[in-house]
């Protein structure tokens, strides 16, 4: 790449396909920069002691892209030496261990790119209209089960110990929990 063509660029993408760390990091490489900082947010297999099945993301796409552009402008004001910024976020279902978000920032020195990538992820989570849905397994207590079934069946449910033991060993609930501040 000709150094005169190496003008600062922002690479913003919201997509349903699997994200690539190599692709995102290559976007920000510059002969003028000695640092590339990356943040990779992945789906973990647990949340507050519950087994996670997967995450699912939805976005108000046009507004999300506009907000991410604002984040890039803010970064350039706060850290003028930042060269390139790439922010890719996955939408739809994201299985365990796969990336939900990848952010890469290049700059001549590490301090600016590290600070900028931290600012990007924190600001994205706080202000960009991308919502996370968490699918996890919930194993209820006997009292919870009785209350739920009782409400579903109009209070006409009674448990005996034998019935509870078989339900307890066979029953797993899946629940959707919308997690705003994860």
């Amino acid at each position: 790449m000709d150094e005169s063509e190496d003008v600062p660029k922002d690479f913003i993408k919201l997509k349903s396909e699997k994200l690539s760390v190599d692709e995102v990091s290559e976007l920000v490489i510059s002969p003028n920069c000695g640092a590339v900082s990356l943040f990779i947010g992945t789906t973990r297999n647990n949340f507050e002691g519950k087994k996670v099945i997967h995450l699912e993301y939805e976005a108000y796409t046009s507004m999300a892209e506009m907000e991410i552009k604002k984040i890039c402008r803010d970064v350039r004001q706060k850290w003028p030496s930042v060269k390139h910024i790439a922010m890719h976020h996955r939408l739809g279902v994201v299985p365990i261990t796969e990336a939900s978000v990848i952010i890469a920032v290049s700059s001549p020195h590490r301090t600016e790119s590290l600070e900028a990538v931290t600012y990007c992820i924190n600001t994205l989570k706080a202000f960009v209209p991308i919502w996370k849905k968490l699918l996890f397994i919930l194993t209820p207590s006997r009292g919870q089960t009785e209350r739920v079934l009782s409400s579903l069946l109009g209070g006409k449910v009674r448990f005996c110990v034998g019935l509870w033991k078989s339900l307890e060993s066979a029953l797993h609930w899946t629940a959707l929990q919308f997690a705003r501040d994860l």
Side-chain angles (χ1 to χ4, degrees):
M1 173 186 298
D2 181 358
E3 287 187 35
S4 63
E5 295 175 12
D6 193 29
V7 296
K9 293 184 186 109
D10 300 332
F11 303 93
I12 298 165
K13 190 177 283 189
L14 303 174
K15 65 182 203 171
S16 57
E17 296 83 24
K18 189 172 182 175
L19 300 179
S20 165
V21 174
D22 289 338
E23 175 191 334
V24 175
S25 62
E26 286 175 23
L27 291 171
V28 301
I29 297 291
S30 166
N32 299 316
C33 295
V36 171
S37 296
L38 287 168
F39 173 81
I40 306 161
T42 61
T43 302
R44 63 182 179 268
N45 67 0
N46 66 86
F47 172 73
E48 294 181 357
K50 298 170 191 78
K51 182 179 178 184
V52 171
I53 306 302
H54 66 254
L55 294 180
E56 188 171 345
Y57 290 90
E58 294 178 4
Y60 179 179
T61 306
S62 61
M63 184 179 273
E65 289 171 345
M66 187 173 59
E67 291 298 317
I68 293 170
K69 287 176 186 176
K70 285 182 192 175
I71 293 169
C72 293
R73 282 194 304 271
D74 290 348
V75 165
R76 295 190 186 289
Q77 287 180 343
K78 293 175 184 293
W79 299 278
S81 67
V82 163
K83 191 63 154 184
H84 303 306
I85 304 167
M87 297 178 71
H88 287 200
H89 204 297
R90 188 159 170 189
L91 301 176
V93 173
V94 182
I96 304 299
T97 72
E98 290 189 16
S100 303
V101 61
I102 302 174
I103 300 171
V105 176
S106 61
S107 64
H109 305 285
R110 71 179 174 271
T111 301
E112 295 86 353
S113 66
L114 288 168
E115 290 174 355
V117 83
T118 300
Y119 176 84
C120 286
I121 187 59
N122 290 342
T123 309
L124 182 141
K125 287 182 63 78
F127 298 107
V128 177
I130 298 174
W131 300 281
K132 179 178 6 180
K133 221 185 292 187
L134 178 64
L135 180 67
F136 61 87
I137 294 175
L138 173 65
T139 305
S141 69
R142 178 179 176 180
Q144 290 169 320
T145 304
E146 287 178 356
R147 282 190 298 279
V148 170
L149 289 176
S150 187
S151 68
L152 289 173
L153 300 173
K156 299 176 184 169
V157 83
R158 294 188 184 234
F159 282 90
C160 67
V161 174
L163 176 59
W164 171 249
K165 291 287 184 205
S166 63
L167 280 173
E168 186 177 42
S169 64
L171 181 64
H172 286 285
W173 288 352
T174 56
L176 289 177
Q177 175 173 330
F178 294 88
R180 196 175 53 183
D181 299 320
L182 298 178

